[in-house]
Amino acid sequence: MKRRSGDKKDTGGIRVYLWVWVVLWTAAVVGFFAGDIWRIRKTSLDLALSEARIQVNRDQLTGLWAASHGGVYVPAGEATPPNPRLGHVSERDIETPSGRQLTLMDPAYVVRQMKDRYSIMYGIDGRITSLSNLSSETTPDDWERNCLLAFEKGATEIW
């Protein structure tokens, strides 16, 4: 059987054509995969930001609610010892007619205690901090300090 001169080129042409399709198919799959990774990452960040906003709103509402009542009295004990920052308040610690000991919680104490309990129950942690911190537990770290300074300059959200 005699070979025709075009047979070899035809086989080579098919191989090139096949390799082009393999490369294009691989590029398409990699492109879709990269797009999916980008979308998953963006969605995850969007969800985390939404959750953070919910937490901040909850904390603000809790603080405003406690402030609108002038603080709240709760049973004094190991879980809620009297707040030393309210030592100047004459009725910080009171006793009910039945002899139950109550202590006054200011809004920051309420929010801080709720954050601690929420963190234990749901694994979502947060901190109350300020540039004019009143205790070592509210001292901001470097990132928090930079954020607080940005808020003073007008920023409304940082993440």
Side-chain angles (χ1 to χ4, degrees), residues 6-7 11 14 20 36 40 50 60 72 87 90 106 114 118 120 122 127-129 134 137 142 144 148 156 158:
D7 285 350
T11 304
I14 291 174
V20 167
D36 283 347
I40 290 168
S50 177
Q60 287 178 337
V72 292
S90 62
D106 67 343
M114 286 188 67
Y118 201 85
I120 291 166
Y122 302 108
R127 277 180 13 104
I128 296 175
T129 188
L134 300 174
E137 65 185 9
D142 291 339
E144 291 167 335
L148 292 169
T156 58
I158 300 168

mmCIF file of all heavy atoms in Angstrom, residues 6-7 11 14 20 36 40 50 60 72 87 90 106 114 118 120 122 127-129 134 137 142 144 148 156 158:
data_model
loop_
_atom_site.group_PDB
_atom_site.id
_atom_site.type_symbol
_atom_site.label_atom_id
_atom_site.label_comp_id
_atom_site.label_asym_id
_atom_site.label_seq_id
_atom_site.Cartn_x
_atom_site.Cartn_y
_atom_site.Cartn_z
ATOM 1 N N GLY A 6 -0.397 13.512 1.574
ATOM 2 C CA GLY A 6 -1.315 14.301 2.411
ATOM 3 C C GLY A 6 -1.741 13.588 3.676
ATOM 4 O O GLY A 6 -2.240 14.196 4.597
ATOM 5 N N ASP A 7 -1.557 12.228 3.731
ATOM 6 C CA ASP A 7 -2.011 11.475 4.896
ATOM 7 C C ASP A 7 -1.319 11.938 6.162
ATOM 8 O O ASP A 7 -1.937 12.083 7.209
ATOM 9 C CB ASP A 7 -1.763 9.973 4.698
ATOM 10 C CG ASP A 7 -2.763 9.371 3.726
ATOM 11 O OD1 ASP A 7 -3.729 10.094 3.384
ATOM 12 O OD2 ASP A 7 -2.572 8.224 3.345
ATOM 13 N N THR A 11 -3.130 13.697 9.600
ATOM 14 C CA THR A 11 -2.994 13.178 10.962
ATOM 15 C C THR A 11 -2.399 14.249 11.860
ATOM 16 O O THR A 11 -2.846 14.457 12.980
ATOM 17 C CB THR A 11 -2.088 11.924 10.973
ATOM 18 O OG1 THR A 11 -2.618 10.972 10.070
ATOM 19 C CG2 THR A 11 -2.015 11.321 12.347
ATOM 20 N N ILE A 14 -5.018 16.873 12.588
ATOM 21 C CA ILE A 14 -5.998 16.424 13.584
ATOM 22 C C ILE A 14 -5.402 16.529 14.981
ATOM 23 O O ILE A 14 -6.067 16.964 15.923
ATOM 24 C CB ILE A 14 -6.466 14.980 13.276
ATOM 25 C CG1 ILE A 14 -7.304 14.982 11.995
ATOM 26 C CG2 ILE A 14 -7.243 14.408 14.441
ATOM 27 C CD1 ILE A 14 -7.678 13.608 11.528
ATOM 28 N N VAL A 20 -5.447 21.896 20.439
ATOM 29 C CA VAL A 20 -6.060 23.218 20.596
ATOM 30 C C VAL A 20 -7.330 23.100 21.434
ATOM 31 O O VAL A 20 -7.566 23.875 22.356
ATOM 32 C CB VAL A 20 -6.348 23.869 19.227
ATOM 33 C CG1 VAL A 20 -7.261 25.081 19.362
ATOM 34 C CG2 VAL A 20 -5.047 24.255 18.547
ATOM 35 N N ASP A 36 -15.614 30.605 40.149
ATOM 36 C CA ASP A 36 -16.344 30.065 41.291
ATOM 37 C C ASP A 36 -15.628 30.377 42.602
ATOM 38 O O ASP A 36 -16.263 30.741 43.589
ATOM 39 C CB ASP A 36 -16.529 28.549 41.155
ATOM 40 C CG ASP A 36 -17.618 28.172 40.166
ATOM 41 O OD1 ASP A 36 -18.403 29.078 39.775
ATOM 42 O OD2 ASP A 36 -17.687 26.996 39.782
ATOM 43 N N ILE A 40 -17.286 32.503 45.555
ATOM 44 C CA ILE A 40 -17.405 31.926 46.904
ATOM 45 C C ILE A 40 -16.725 32.835 47.914
ATOM 46 O O ILE A 40 -17.258 33.106 48.991
ATOM 47 C CB ILE A 40 -16.813 30.502 46.942
ATOM 48 C CG1 ILE A 40 -17.710 29.547 46.161
ATOM 49 C CG2 ILE A 40 -16.617 30.028 48.380
ATOM 50 C CD1 ILE A 40 -17.088 28.187 45.886
ATOM 51 N N SER A 50 -22.137 41.132 56.732
ATOM 52 C CA SER A 50 -23.533 41.229 57.149
ATOM 53 C C SER A 50 -23.698 40.779 58.597
ATOM 54 O O SER A 50 -24.390 41.430 59.385
ATOM 55 C CB SER A 50 -24.400 40.379 56.222
ATOM 56 O OG SER A 50 -25.737 40.398 56.645
ATOM 57 N N GLN A 60 -25.520 47.849 69.902
ATOM 58 C CA GLN A 60 -25.968 49.229 70.053
ATOM 59 C C GLN A 60 -27.377 49.289 70.629
ATOM 60 O O GLN A 60 -27.656 50.091 71.521
ATOM 61 C CB GLN A 60 -25.911 49.974 68.719
ATOM 62 C CG GLN A 60 -24.507 50.308 68.290
ATOM 63 C CD GLN A 60 -24.469 51.001 66.936
ATOM 64 O OE1 GLN A 60 -25.383 50.886 66.121
ATOM 65 N NE2 GLN A 60 -23.398 51.738 66.690
ATOM 66 N N VAL A 72 -29.854 48.694 84.540
ATOM 67 C CA VAL A 72 -30.772 47.661 85.002
ATOM 68 C C VAL A 72 -30.210 47.004 86.256
ATOM 69 O O VAL A 72 -29.001 46.886 86.421
ATOM 70 C CB VAL A 72 -31.031 46.576 83.918
ATOM 71 C CG1 VAL A 72 -31.798 47.144 82.748
ATOM 72 C CG2 VAL A 72 -29.735 45.953 83.435
ATOM 73 N N GLY A 87 -19.153 52.736 91.647
ATOM 74 C CA GLY A 87 -19.006 52.885 93.099
ATOM 75 C C GLY A 87 -19.513 54.219 93.611
ATOM 76 O O GLY A 87 -19.909 54.335 94.779
ATOM 77 N N SER A 90 -24.982 55.969 94.670
ATOM 78 C CA SER A 90 -25.423 55.585 96.011
ATOM 79 C C SER A 90 -26.311 54.344 96.012
ATOM 80 O O SER A 90 -26.295 53.569 96.957
ATOM 81 C CB SER A 90 -26.150 56.754 96.686
ATOM 82 O OG SER A 90 -27.308 57.086 95.948
ATOM 83 N N ASP A 106 -24.626 49.260 84.277
ATOM 84 C CA ASP A 106 -24.714 50.340 83.296
ATOM 85 C C ASP A 106 -24.710 49.725 81.893
ATOM 86 O O ASP A 106 -24.439 48.528 81.728
ATOM 87 C CB ASP A 106 -23.578 51.344 83.489
ATOM 88 C CG ASP A 106 -22.204 50.775 83.169
ATOM 89 O OD1 ASP A 106 -22.062 49.540 83.106
ATOM 90 O OD2 ASP A 106 -21.268 51.568 82.987
ATOM 91 N N MET A 114 -23.205 40.535 77.825
ATOM 92 C CA MET A 114 -23.909 39.836 76.751
ATOM 93 C C MET A 114 -22.923 39.342 75.691
ATOM 94 O O MET A 114 -23.076 38.237 75.168
ATOM 95 C CB MET A 114 -24.966 40.741 76.131
ATOM 96 C CG MET A 114 -26.173 40.917 77.035
ATOM 97 S SD MET A 114 -27.516 41.782 76.228
ATOM 98 C CE MET A 114 -27.999 40.606 74.994
ATOM 99 N N TYR A 118 -22.547 35.560 74.611
ATOM 100 C CA TYR A 118 -22.793 35.254 73.201
ATOM 101 C C TYR A 118 -21.590 34.521 72.612
ATOM 102 O O TYR A 118 -21.737 33.577 71.845
ATOM 103 C CB TYR A 118 -23.069 36.552 72.439
ATOM 104 C CG TYR A 118 -23.802 36.344 71.133
ATOM 105 C CD1 TYR A 118 -25.187 36.263 71.103
ATOM 106 C CD2 TYR A 118 -23.116 36.245 69.934
ATOM 107 C CE1 TYR A 118 -25.868 36.077 69.910
ATOM 108 C CE2 TYR A 118 -23.779 36.058 68.736
ATOM 109 C CZ TYR A 118 -25.158 35.982 68.734
ATOM 110 O OH TYR A 118 -25.831 35.790 67.554
ATOM 111 N N ILE A 120 -19.447 32.632 74.200
ATOM 112 C CA ILE A 120 -19.421 31.262 74.725
ATOM 113 C C ILE A 120 -20.464 30.400 74.015
ATOM 114 O O ILE A 120 -20.186 29.268 73.625
ATOM 115 C CB ILE A 120 -19.663 31.271 76.252
ATOM 116 C CG1 ILE A 120 -18.459 31.893 76.974
ATOM 117 C CG2 ILE A 120 -19.946 29.866 76.776
ATOM 118 C CD1 ILE A 120 -18.714 32.256 78.425
ATOM 119 N N TYR A 122 -22.160 30.984 71.007
ATOM 120 C CA TYR A 122 -22.202 30.929 69.546
ATOM 121 C C TYR A 122 -20.842 31.071 68.861
ATOM 122 O O TYR A 122 -20.778 31.011 67.636
ATOM 123 C CB TYR A 122 -23.158 32.000 69.013
ATOM 124 C CG TYR A 122 -24.553 31.834 69.553
ATOM 125 C CD1 TYR A 122 -25.058 32.714 70.499
ATOM 126 C CD2 TYR A 122 -25.358 30.783 69.137
ATOM 127 C CE1 TYR A 122 -26.340 32.555 71.012
ATOM 128 C CE2 TYR A 122 -26.631 30.612 69.644
ATOM 129 C CZ TYR A 122 -27.111 31.504 70.583
ATOM 130 O OH TYR A 122 -28.362 31.336 71.088
ATOM 131 N N ARG A 127 -15.365 42.888 71.010
ATOM 132 C CA ARG A 127 -14.808 43.660 72.120
ATOM 133 C C ARG A 127 -15.376 45.061 72.113
ATOM 134 O O ARG A 127 -15.673 45.607 71.064
ATOM 135 C CB ARG A 127 -13.283 43.789 71.975
ATOM 136 C CG ARG A 127 -12.522 42.634 72.469
ATOM 137 C CD ARG A 127 -11.003 42.748 72.342
ATOM 138 N NE ARG A 127 -10.395 44.007 72.040
ATOM 139 C CZ ARG A 127 -9.747 44.779 72.944
ATOM 140 N NH1 ARG A 127 -9.686 44.408 74.186
ATOM 141 N NH2 ARG A 127 -9.177 45.900 72.571
ATOM 142 N N ILE A 128 -15.470 45.621 73.300
ATOM 143 C CA ILE A 128 -15.789 47.036 73.440
ATOM 144 C C ILE A 128 -14.458 47.720 73.693
ATOM 145 O O ILE A 128 -13.689 47.296 74.565
ATOM 146 C CB ILE A 128 -16.756 47.280 74.613
ATOM 147 C CG1 ILE A 128 -18.087 46.600 74.346
ATOM 148 C CG2 ILE A 128 -16.939 48.775 74.852
ATOM 149 C CD1 ILE A 128 -19.064 46.674 75.490
ATOM 150 N N THR A 129 -14.169 48.737 72.914
ATOM 151 C CA THR A 129 -12.907 49.448 73.067
ATOM 152 C C THR A 129 -13.117 50.927 72.806
ATOM 153 O O THR A 129 -14.135 51.334 72.245
ATOM 154 C CB THR A 129 -11.832 48.845 72.130
ATOM 155 O OG1 THR A 129 -10.569 49.433 72.428
ATOM 156 C CG2 THR A 129 -12.184 49.048 70.675
ATOM 157 N N LEU A 134 -11.134 53.174 79.925
ATOM 158 C CA LEU A 134 -11.215 53.298 81.369
ATOM 159 C C LEU A 134 -10.545 52.134 82.081
ATOM 160 O O LEU A 134 -10.327 52.196 83.287
ATOM 161 C CB LEU A 134 -12.691 53.387 81.799
ATOM 162 C CG LEU A 134 -13.461 54.575 81.212
ATOM 163 C CD1 LEU A 134 -14.937 54.483 81.589
ATOM 164 C CD2 LEU A 134 -12.876 55.887 81.697
ATOM 165 N N GLU A 137 -8.979 46.265 79.924
ATOM 166 C CA GLU A 137 -9.750 45.392 79.031
ATOM 167 C C GLU A 137 -10.352 46.135 77.851
ATOM 168 O O GLU A 137 -10.754 45.519 76.868
ATOM 169 C CB GLU A 137 -10.830 44.634 79.806
ATOM 170 C CG GLU A 137 -11.906 45.511 80.388
ATOM 171 C CD GLU A 137 -12.903 44.740 81.250
ATOM 172 O OE1 GLU A 137 -12.674 43.562 81.538
ATOM 173 O OE2 GLU A 137 -13.921 45.344 81.617
ATOM 174 N N ASP A 142 -3.410 47.917 68.035
ATOM 175 C CA ASP A 142 -3.008 48.872 66.986
ATOM 176 C C ASP A 142 -4.058 48.999 65.887
ATOM 177 O O ASP A 142 -4.369 50.104 65.438
ATOM 178 C CB ASP A 142 -1.658 48.461 66.372
ATOM 179 C CG ASP A 142 -0.504 48.634 67.341
ATOM 180 O OD1 ASP A 142 -0.652 49.421 68.302
ATOM 181 O OD2 ASP A 142 0.534 47.970 67.148
ATOM 182 N N GLU A 144 -7.302 48.312 66.070
ATOM 183 C CA GLU A 144 -8.486 48.961 66.627
ATOM 184 C C GLU A 144 -8.253 50.462 66.806
ATOM 185 O O GLU A 144 -9.133 51.267 66.518
ATOM 186 C CB GLU A 144 -8.852 48.325 67.978
ATOM 187 C CG GLU A 144 -9.365 46.909 67.849
ATOM 188 C CD GLU A 144 -9.429 46.168 69.170
ATOM 189 O OE1 GLU A 144 -8.672 46.518 70.104
ATOM 190 O OE2 GLU A 144 -10.231 45.230 69.265
ATOM 191 N N LEU A 148 -10.469 53.395 65.209
ATOM 192 C CA LEU A 148 -11.120 54.415 66.038
ATOM 193 C C LEU A 148 -10.718 55.819 65.598
ATOM 194 O O LEU A 148 -11.546 56.735 65.569
ATOM 195 C CB LEU A 148 -10.795 54.187 67.519
ATOM 196 C CG LEU A 148 -11.415 52.922 68.121
ATOM 197 C CD1 LEU A 148 -10.815 52.646 69.495
ATOM 198 C CD2 LEU A 148 -12.922 53.032 68.198
ATOM 199 N N THR A 156 -17.498 55.673 58.573
ATOM 200 C CA THR A 156 -18.709 55.089 59.173
ATOM 201 C C THR A 156 -18.612 53.574 59.326
ATOM 202 O O THR A 156 -19.354 52.990 60.101
ATOM 203 C CB THR A 156 -19.963 55.431 58.333
ATOM 204 O OG1 THR A 156 -19.752 54.940 57.007
ATOM 205 C CG2 THR A 156 -20.211 56.924 58.317
ATOM 206 N N ILE A 158 -15.526 50.219 58.893
ATOM 207 C CA ILE A 158 -14.201 49.742 58.518
ATOM 208 C C ILE A 158 -14.214 48.225 58.667
ATOM 209 O O ILE A 158 -14.700 47.702 59.658
ATOM 210 C CB ILE A 158 -13.106 50.346 59.430
ATOM 211 C CG1 ILE A 158 -13.118 51.857 59.305
ATOM 212 C CG2 ILE A 158 -11.736 49.774 59.077
ATOM 213 C CD1 ILE A 158 -12.296 52.555 60.350
#
